[in-house]
Amino acid sequence: MSDPLIVRALRGEEVERTPVWFMRQAGRYMAVYRELRSRVSFLDLCRSAELACEVTFQPLDAFRLDAAIVFSDILTVIEAVGREVEFEKGKGPVIHDPVRSAADAKSLRRPDVSETTLRVASDTIRLFRQSRPDMPILGFAGAPFTLLCYLIQGGGSKSFDEVKKLLWTDPQTAQQLLDLLADVVGDHMQAQAEAGAVGVQIFDTWAGILSPEDWERFALPSIQRALARVSGAPTIHYTRDNAPFLDRLHKTGADAFGIDWRVDIGHARAVLGDVPLQGNMDPVALYAPPDEITRRVHRILDAAGPRNHIFNLGHGVLPTTPISGVEAMIEAVHSHRRA
Ligand code: 1CP
């Protein structure tokens, strides 16, 4: 039997059909998830391999997907280095005791990932593989810069002003924090690769707030440092708003690159060359009528070509997304015929 489509696509082989999975494929847009969440808190889902595995299965049971992604969250690393994270309803993640100074930074720890709740992600991957050895599963982690954003700002933000203030006023402390996060993130990704993930994605969601110069100075070296600790599974780099950095993404050392919908995937191919690309439909397009969704999916598939492409959204699926839109997207990937 040949290897799964996503494994072959990540190797750059020509595939008979482009594989499809999508970011946040388990979560609030699904009624089964909301039902479980009415009984169990989000953090408790992330702290139990049995429950996380159950949630990982939910979208696979509902749709014809080519890969699972382990159910967890990027902010588990924040807890592992010593700051509590709360998820307040309607507000997103909150860190009540953010890191804003060199003294704050000293209070953090460098954990052994196998001795923290980070272990749950690799345990979930192992559990998943026992019941579905045929279905590829991806691991993931937040990138050091994106985690730094939450750690310093204390939650989500439009400008991440506190983060930039620390970068400009105390770059040494910012660098120490990035180094610490990179080492923990790298170990966490490696543990998931060793647990059997067919690929590991590094989410640098907020790096797009940086100028290209600052991206090269802060985000890039921390990704390189994290990925240097990963072997045995291909790595996928994702940044929202990465259009200004497209021509530099190869410097990360990642094996594949997520592309958001602001970039034409044909253009990304021209800039990045013959490497696996992942994306890039606008998640809001899933609210469009099925015919329009099909048209958009086929356009992306035609522009990306038969090799080096994994179909995905350009960012996570939104919680109010209609199931019919998700179905139309996946069916369109399956029904696509190459010219
Ligand atoms: O049930 C709930 O109320 C919790 C909602 C939720 C979910 C389902 C959060 C809180 N995280 C998750 C899961 C999650 N987060 C996954 C699971 C795997 C999947 O199915 O894809 C992944 C990969 C993430 C990654 C994540 N968390 C990112 C990077 C990707 C992205 O979307 O930009 C970020 C920035 C976070 C932080 C986070 N976690 C949760 C929230 C509400 C947030 C804030 C950012 C946001 O709202 O998108």
Side-chain angles (χ1 to χ4, degrees):
M1 238 183 58
S2 61
D3 284 330
L5 288 174
I6 191 165
V7 171
R8 288 157 55 203
L10 281 168
R11 282 203 297 253
E13 292 172 17
E14 181 158 341
V15 283
E16 50 282 16
R17 175 180 59 74
T18 300
V20 51
W21 72 279
F22 60 100
M23 292 184 277
R24 302 287 188 107
Q25 65 187 22
R28 287 168 288 182
Y29 77 100
M30 290 189 80
V32 276
Y33 177 82
R34 294 194 299 273
E35 196 283 316
L36 181 59
R37 276 281 285 106
S38 69
R39 295 180 278 121
V40 189
S41 77
F42 174 63
L43 284 176
D44 283 342
L45 292 182
C46 296
R47 285 179 185 139
S48 152
E50 285 74 23
L51 290 173
C53 198
E54 182 182 333
V55 180
T56 303
F57 272 117
Q58 289 176 348
L60 303 176
D61 292 340
F63 312 112
R64 291 203 285 164
L65 292 163
D66 294 299
I69 179 163
V70 65
F71 190 80
S72 181
D73 195 74
I74 62 165
L75 299 173
T76 51
V77 165
I78 301 278
E79 284 201 322
V81 298
R83 282 294 185 279
E84 251 179 71
V85 182
E86 267 182 47
F87 287 88
E88 293 179 1
K89 215 177 155 52
K91 264 192 82 182
V94 180
I95 293 123
H96 292 290
D97 189 10
V99 172
R100 299 266 167 95
S101 67
D104 290 347
K106 285 212 176 64
S107 67
L108 299 178
R109 59 175 176 256
R110 163 86 168 86
D112 174 341
V113 299
S114 67
E115 286 170 8
T116 68
T117 51
L118 291 178
R119 199 200 153 94
V120 177
S122 7
D123 286 345
T124 305
I125 291 170
R126 272 185 286 269
L127 204 57
F128 180 94
R129 300 224 330 135
Q130 278 165 18
S131 49
R132 284 294 297 275
D134 57 310
M135 176 58 82
I137 181 163
L138 299 164
F140 73 91
F145 180 75
T146 288
L147 294 175
L148 185 78
C149 283
Y150 286 102
L151 191 60
I152 296 176
Q153 195 75 29
S157 164
K158 279 220 164 74
S159 63
F160 287 105
D161 52 341
E162 293 295 339
V163 183
K164 288 184 175 174
K165 269 192 232 168
L166 192 84
L167 295 184
W168 315 153
T169 57
D170 190 353
Q172 212 186 337
T173 297
Q175 196 54 57
Q176 279 166 8
L177 291 168
L178 285 167
D179 288 351
L180 168 71
L181 291 167
D183 292 344
V184 179
V185 161
D187 289 353
H188 184 36
M189 290 174 81
Q190 182 57 21
Q192 294 175 74
E194 284 169 14
V198 299
V200 273
Q201 178 154 328
I202 187 159
F203 284 91
D204 211 354
T205 302
W206 300 121
I209 67 167
L210 294 171
S211 69
E213 181 199 351
D214 290 323
W215 184 81
E216 293 237 14
R217 181 165 169 210
F218 296 107
L220 174 62
S222 61
I223 296 234
Q224 290 167 331
R225 182 166 172 143
L227 295 187
R229 302 180 88 85
V230 184
S231 60
T235 55
I236 309 169
H237 175 272
Y238 170 80
T239 289
R240 210 184 111 97
D241 297 318
N242 65 5
F245 320 119
L246 275 188
D247 59 341
R248 305 163 196 225
L249 286 181
H250 64 279
K251 294 186 188 177
T252 58
D255 299 298
F257 301 94
I259 303 295
D260 81 33
W261 62 96
R262 298 166 189 85
V263 179
D264 185 284
I265 201 153
H267 173 68
R269 170 80 71 226
V271 175
L272 278 152
D274 216 12
V275 292
L277 302 180
Q278 180 171 276
N280 70 338
M281 189 149 105
D282 185 340
V284 183
L286 298 181
Y287 297 76
D291 287 355
E292 177 61 15
I293 293 175
T294 304
R295 189 190 70 74
R296 285 168 178 261
V297 170
H298 287 180
R299 210 201 142 272
I300 291 169
L301 290 168
D302 289 336
R307 283 178 53 231
N308 281 325
H309 183 216
I310 296 161
F311 190 89
N312 205 311
L313 296 170
H315 193 210
V317 69
L318 297 168
T320 56
T321 303
I323 296 293
S324 57
V326 173
E327 282 169 348
M329 171 179 75
I330 292 164
E331 286 316 307
V333 178
H334 282 266
S335 70
H336 179 254
R337 295 290 171 268
R338 297 209 168 101

